Amino acid sequence: MTVRLVFAGTPEVALPSLRALLDSRHEVVAVVTRPDAPAGRGRKVERSPVAALADERGIEVLTPAKAGDPAFLDRLREIGPDLCPVVAYGALLPESALAIPRHGWVNLHFSVLPAWRGAAPVQAAVRHGDDITGATTFRIVKALDAGPVFGVVTERVRERDTAGELLGRLAESGAKLLLSTVDGIEDGTLRPVEQPEENVSYAPKVSVDDARLDFACTPAAALDRVARAVTPEPGAWAEFRGERLKLGPVTPVDEEGLAPGELRVERKRVLVGTATTPVVLSDVQAQGKKRMAATDWARGVRIEAGERIS
């Protein structure tokens, strides 16, 4: 049988799931996504990735400013979806919207719930050094990411994973999970199971301030995790000569001899002291400049002996 779907999502990470549903036996009759917004260095107003794909496929696109807007709710009732799959939509869904599809709204969340409920589960998993994470499909309820679970896939967090790399793998495996969840709901073989009340953790949105690397007070291993957790967004940073310096991932090395924040330039690497052992910088981006290898940057700015990143 075919299920009528209205898919809700916004960024690129939602595209594998949308493509999987579009290529399935089910019918995606519309998508819901965030309104067009400025993007990129030129701040040109652009469609969301989900809207752009829907446009290519000739599917109706709904862009309510809020999911509780009466006009949007009226249109959703007219469409009459059986089920609304959600992947990184980016806005809260009021109960008035949740009540419309007969099978509800099913979210693909990038953690193994109840761990890391909230906006930034992958970043939290990397930042806290988790060995295993995954993705979960669950029925959306009023409480944040607390609905009953349909299915789970797991994924090992690799030693040098950035949040972007890990999220990319989860987007692909999660798309398969979401499709199998829709199939199971359609044929009646899948029943959701309530989440346990213990071991709940939260992952709020990561701010620019959260991405600042404190070389003076933070051990090398923790700086490594933080930098990878905020790559590519919002991006790690520190200050050098009074200006913000964006930083790529850093690699701890088992060496001594640098004060916290102190820079040392070698032929093939640039090291920074931390609260424990140094780290090696990968790439950097000074204000108004392009991203470049740390060694190229260091030669260009002519770092003096004893200079530090603050």
Side-chain angles (χ1 to χ4, degrees):
M1 293 178 62
T2 297
V3 176
R4 285 173 58 81
L5 305 174
V6 170
F7 179 88
T10 298
E12 286 190 16
V13 71
L15 296 184
S17 289
L18 178 54
R19 290 192 182 101
L21 293 170
L22 287 168
D23 295 338
S24 73
R25 68 176 186 267
H26 306 296
E27 182 185 9
V28 180
V29 294
V31 302
V32 184
T33 189
R34 301 296 292 152
D36 298 356
R41 296 186 67 178
R43 307 307 292 164
K44 180 181 177 182
V45 175
E46 296 180 358
R47 301 281 266 172
S48 76
V50 164
L53 178 56
D55 290 341
E56 289 177 13
R57 299 291 189 99
I59 297 169
E60 181 178 357
V61 177
L62 306 174
T63 57
K66 294 183 179 179
D69 288 352
F72 164 68
L73 296 176
D74 288 344
R75 180 57 188 144
L76 195 60
R77 293 187 189 98
E78 290 174 359
I79 294 171
D82 299 311
L83 177 66
C84 293
V86 183
V87 184
Y89 170 46
L92 295 175
L93 296 165
E95 291 186 78
S96 54
L98 297 179
I100 292 175
R102 64 189 180 95
H103 289 304
W105 297 66
V106 174
N107 190 41
L108 173 65
H109 183 78
F110 296 112
S111 78
V112 179
L113 292 171
W116 303 130
R117 295 175 180 175
V122 175
Q123 292 93 326
V126 173
R127 187 172 193 138
H128 287 80
D130 292 356
D131 294 321
I132 299 291
T133 187
T136 304
T137 50
F138 69 95
R139 179 173 289 144
I140 295 179
V141 297
K142 185 177 181 180
L144 177 66
D145 298 336
V149 169
F150 287 102
V152 172
V153 292
T154 58
E155 174 74 31
R156 184 176 68 85
V157 182
R158 299 171 187 171
E159 183 178 1
R160 301 304 305 161
D161 263 339
T162 65
E165 292 164 343
L166 179 56
L167 183 57
R169 298 201 305 275
L170 289 172
E172 296 295 336
S173 60
K176 297 175 183 177
L177 172 64
L178 182 61
L179 177 55
S180 67
T181 297
V182 174
D183 289 343
I185 292 173
E186 179 269 321
D187 62 24
T189 60
L190 198 55
R191 296 286 184 272
V193 177
E194 295 294 334
Q195 294 185 36
E197 295 183 2
E198 63 274 7
N199 299 320
V200 175
S201 53
Y202 292 94
K205 183 177 179 179
V206 177
S207 70
V208 172
D209 287 342
D210 294 330
R212 181 171 187 169
L213 301 188
D214 184 351
F215 290 94
C217 301
T218 311
L223 286 170
D224 167 35
R225 293 196 303 270
V226 172
R228 288 185 291 110
V230 298
T231 299
E233 294 294 338
W237 64 281
E239 286 189 0
F240 177 71
R241 295 178 182 171
E243 293 187 344
R244 182 173 297 189
L245 183 69
K246 293 185 179 180
L247 303 171
V250 301
T251 305
V253 290
D254 189 16
E255 300 178 17
E256 303 292 341
L258 283 179
E262 183 182 357
L263 288 156
R264 184 169 74 212
V265 182
E266 300 178 351
R267 189 167 68 90
K268 292 186 177 181
R269 61 181 189 170
V270 178
L271 293 92
V272 185
T274 76
T276 53
T277 56
V279 296
V280 178
L281 301 182
S282 57
D283 51 70
V284 304
Q285 185 177 8
Q287 286 186 329
K289 303 291 185 179
K290 294 181 179 179
R291 187 170 291 271
M292 64 184 70
T295 49
D296 293 336
W297 164 78
R299 283 192 291 267
V301 297
R302 298 183 180 181
I303 293 171
E304 299 176 3
E307 275 200 282
R308 300 189 182 194
I309 288 181
S310 62

